[in-house]
Amino acid sequence: MEIAEKLPMPQKEKENIISQTVSSYGGKLMSFIRPKVKNTEDAEDILQEVWYQFSSLTNLSEIVNVGGWLYRVTANKITDKYRKKKTENLEDFVYEDEDGTFSIKDILLLDDSAGPEVKMFQDEIWKKLFAALEELPEKQKLVYMENELNDKTLQQIADEQGENIKTIISRKNYAVKHLRNRLKQLYEDLNN
C-alpha cells in the first residue's frame, strides 16, 4: 500500500490565496484590532504579525475556516501584546506641573522661543539621551533612532533591514529598557 505524500502548494497559488485573503480581511481585521490597542502603529504591527504568520503556513488550503483562523490568531496577538512588557516611547516619559502634563518628547520638540531655561533643559535631555544611546549595541540604537526620531514604523524598519518584525520589536524593547534605566534620574527630577 502506497501512502500519498502531501505536496506543498505551488507558490503562485499560495500568493493568490494570500492576496485574496489580505483584500478580503485586511480592513476587517484592522477594525477589529484598532479599538483594542493604544495606537495605530501598534494595530499595524499586530496586523503585520498576523499576515506574516498566515503567509508562513506551508499549506494554506488546509485551513477550513480562514476567517475564524485569522480572528483567532489576531486575538492571540493582541493578548500577547498586553502580556509582554509594553514597548515604551519617549511620550511615556511624562511629568506634570501646574500647567498640565508634558512628555520629555514634547520638551525636546519645543522651539527656541520657549525661553532660556527650557533651552538649557532641552540641551541636558538631548545630551543624556544621546550618551545613553551611545552605550547601546549598534542594531538596538539604530532601531530606536529610526522609530523614535525618524518616525518609521517597526515594520518599515524590519523591511529595510531584512529582519523579522519580532527581532526589531525585541531590539526596541531592549533599547527602551536601557534608556529608561539611564534616564531614570532625569525622569525623577522631572517628577519632583
Side-chain angles (χ1 to χ4, degrees):
M1 178 182 255
E2 201 172 305
I3 298 174
E5 225 179 282
K6 287 190 178 183
L7 296 173
M9 178 182 290
Q11 187 63 28
K12 188 70 174 161
E13 184 181 341
K14 183 176 180 178
E15 288 171 7
N16 286 338
I17 290 173
I18 292 170
S19 178
Q20 289 171 357
T21 305
V22 169
S23 294
S24 298
Y25 288 96
K28 295 174 191 172
L29 289 175
M30 183 56 85
S31 296
F32 176 73
I33 299 167
R34 188 59 192 103
K36 297 169 179 64
V37 296
K38 187 170 143 184
N39 57 44
T40 304
E41 183 178 292
D42 288 345
E44 289 171 352
D45 287 346
I46 289 169
L47 188 57
Q48 286 297 322
E49 288 179 34
V50 171
W51 292 133
Y52 177 77
Q53 187 171 338
F54 182 70
S55 65
S56 297
L57 295 173
T58 308
N59 208 341
L60 297 174
S61 61
E62 291 181 6
I63 299 175
V64 177
N65 179 349
V66 173
W69 186 92
L70 287 169
Y71 279 99
R72 187 175 67 251
V73 169
T74 301
N76 289 342
K77 297 285 183 195
I78 294 167
T79 302
D80 289 348
K81 182 106 180 132
Y82 284 108
R83 278 190 190 142
K84 289 180 188 174
K85 178 129 174 76
K86 70 183 184 99
T87 300
E88 299 166 58
N89 297 317
L90 281 175
E91 288 91 350
D92 295 326
F93 293 93
V94 174
Y95 78 100
E96 287 188 32
D97 65 8
E98 61 277 358
D99 297 329
T101 302
F102 293 92
S103 73
I104 288 180
K105 190 172 186 179
D106 290 337
I107 294 168
L108 291 175
L109 299 178
L110 287 174
D111 63 22
D112 291 340
S113 66
E117 288 176 356
V118 172
K119 177 70 175 130
M120 188 177 75
F121 194 60
Q122 281 177 320
D123 291 344
E124 185 64 22
I125 293 171
W126 279 116
K127 188 171 102 183
K128 288 187 178 186
L129 176 64
F130 282 112
L133 281 170
E134 286 303 316
E135 298 168 354
L136 288 169
E138 193 60 35
K139 290 181 178 181
Q140 290 176 16
K141 178 171 73 170
L142 180 63
V143 168
Y144 187 86
M145 292 179 71
E146 289 289 293
N147 182 243
E148 286 293 326
L149 304 177
N150 296 333
D151 291 324
K152 290 186 179 178
T153 67
L154 295 176
Q155 186 61 54
Q156 287 173 317
I157 298 166
D159 293 343
E160 288 174 3
Q161 294 183 9
E163 296 277 4
N164 183 312
I165 183 70
K166 290 180 182 178
T167 302
I168 298 301
I169 292 169
S170 177
R171 287 178 185 162
K172 171 82 186 282
N173 278 330
Y174 283 122
V176 168
K177 285 177 188 173
H178 174 74
L179 293 174
R180 177 157 294 269
N181 287 335
R182 297 293 286 131
L183 298 176
K184 188 175 182 180
Q185 185 59 52
L186 179 64
Y187 181 71
E188 288 171 359
D189 290 346
L190 288 173
N191 284 305
N192 293 326

